[in-house]
Amino acid sequence: MPTAVSTIEDRKRLVRRLAGSGRGFAEQYGFRVTNNPSSLFQLLCLAVLLARRGDYRRALDSAHALPDAGWDSAARLSRSLHADRVRVLRDSGQRGDVDALADLLGDLARCVVERYRGDLRRLRSTAGHDPTRERALLTELPGVDGQSVDLFLREVQALWAEVAPVADRRALAAARRLGLGRSAEDLAGLAGSGESERLAWLVGALARVDLERRYAELTG
């Protein structure tokens, strides 16, 4: 078991290393984090897929497979055929009840189109930029639960500063193990006051450390 960093300077040094890439979790895996309808919907699909049990690499592959198939927005995915979604998901390595997952993604896309004209920025506006209301509206979408919301907002806090600080359970597990704190507020303090983008980079990097079990290279 690696030893957690102990001094303030060690913590600062580790935070600089983790957040220094200037990219959060999604961008490290090839997803753009920009405040436009296509990017936000892809991030939501990624969050829904990552929240499911199973190998996170399959979730990443499936999240990439959707835009690769031409479904890079809620509007395009909503017009896709169920059989085509099943085929793409299976080809990307999904296992289990792929039919149900294909239905869920189709329902999610159609709901985003029907309620927000395919643009999750309209959800934000509907919520009046209130983070509690934003969370509530997100969980009203098909297939989006509390864990999915945490994963989505972990990335989006770089763009929607009002939701910060957000840290998902994996990021917090890594933070505790590395001695960086036990809460999103602790990590926000390390990232810097008002630095929601830097916090997103830090939290995303921590989540990736836990998923990839990269503790030894950081503390060895």
Side-chain angles (χ1 to χ4, degrees):
M1 175 75 68
T3 303
V5 294
S6 55
T7 70
I8 292 175
E9 281 306 311
D10 284 342
R11 286 195 290 273
K12 289 180 178 179
R13 192 176 300 112
L14 182 54
V15 167
R16 287 195 297 270
R17 181 176 177 184
L18 289 166
S21 69
R23 296 189 296 173
F25 180 93
E27 289 188 329
Q28 290 282 0
Y29 289 109
F31 296 89
R32 296 182 65 199
V33 179
T34 55
N35 199 29
N36 64 58
S38 178
S39 175
L40 291 172
F41 183 70
Q42 288 177 44
L43 291 173
L44 183 60
C45 287
L46 173 63
V48 168
L49 289 163
L50 284 170
R52 292 166 56 86
R53 292 187 178 183
D55 189 336
Y56 76 94
R57 287 164 294 194
R58 288 179 182 167
L60 292 167
D61 288 344
S62 295
H64 277 296
L66 298 176
D68 288 348
W71 308 324
D72 60 349
S73 67
R76 290 191 175 95
L77 184 58
S78 71
R79 295 192 295 268
S80 64
L81 297 177
H82 172 80
D84 290 336
R85 293 195 299 275
V86 169
R87 173 182 52 78
V88 167
L89 290 169
R90 282 188 176 144
D91 287 349
S92 70
Q94 282 293 328
R95 300 292 182 266
D97 194 348
V98 179
D99 281 276
L101 179 57
D103 275 337
L104 184 153
L105 291 171
D107 291 343
L108 174 61
R110 284 187 290 272
C111 189
V112 171
V113 169
E114 290 166 4
R115 294 186 187 180
Y116 305 111
R117 286 185 270 175
D119 188 349
L120 290 169
R121 294 175 302 182
R122 294 181 182 278
L123 179 149
R124 186 188 187 198
S125 296
T126 299
H129 291 208
D130 176 75
T132 301
R133 183 64 179 147
E134 287 166 352
R135 282 182 173 273
L137 291 177
L138 284 165
T139 56
E140 291 176 5
L141 298 172
V144 180
D145 59 12
Q147 185 179 350
S148 304
V149 171
D150 282 344
L151 294 172
F152 176 70
L153 295 182
R154 177 186 69 194
E155 307 300 319
V156 173
Q157 67 186 323
L159 308 168
W160 299 0
E162 71 274 7
V163 305
V166 179
D168 64 296
R169 62 180 181 83
R170 285 195 176 276
L172 290 176
R176 288 192 295 270
R177 187 163 172 179
L178 293 169
L180 296 179
R182 306 185 66 83
S183 68
E185 289 74 16
D186 290 339
L187 294 175
L190 291 171
S193 177
E195 293 286 344
S196 62
E197 186 176 47
R198 182 174 169 82
L199 174 61
W201 298 340
L202 173 60
V203 171
L206 286 168
R208 190 179 183 195
V209 166
D210 191 65
L211 274 172
E212 298 180 355
R213 316 308 294 172
R214 291 171 48 227
Y215 291 102
E217 70 181 67
L218 294 174
T219 58

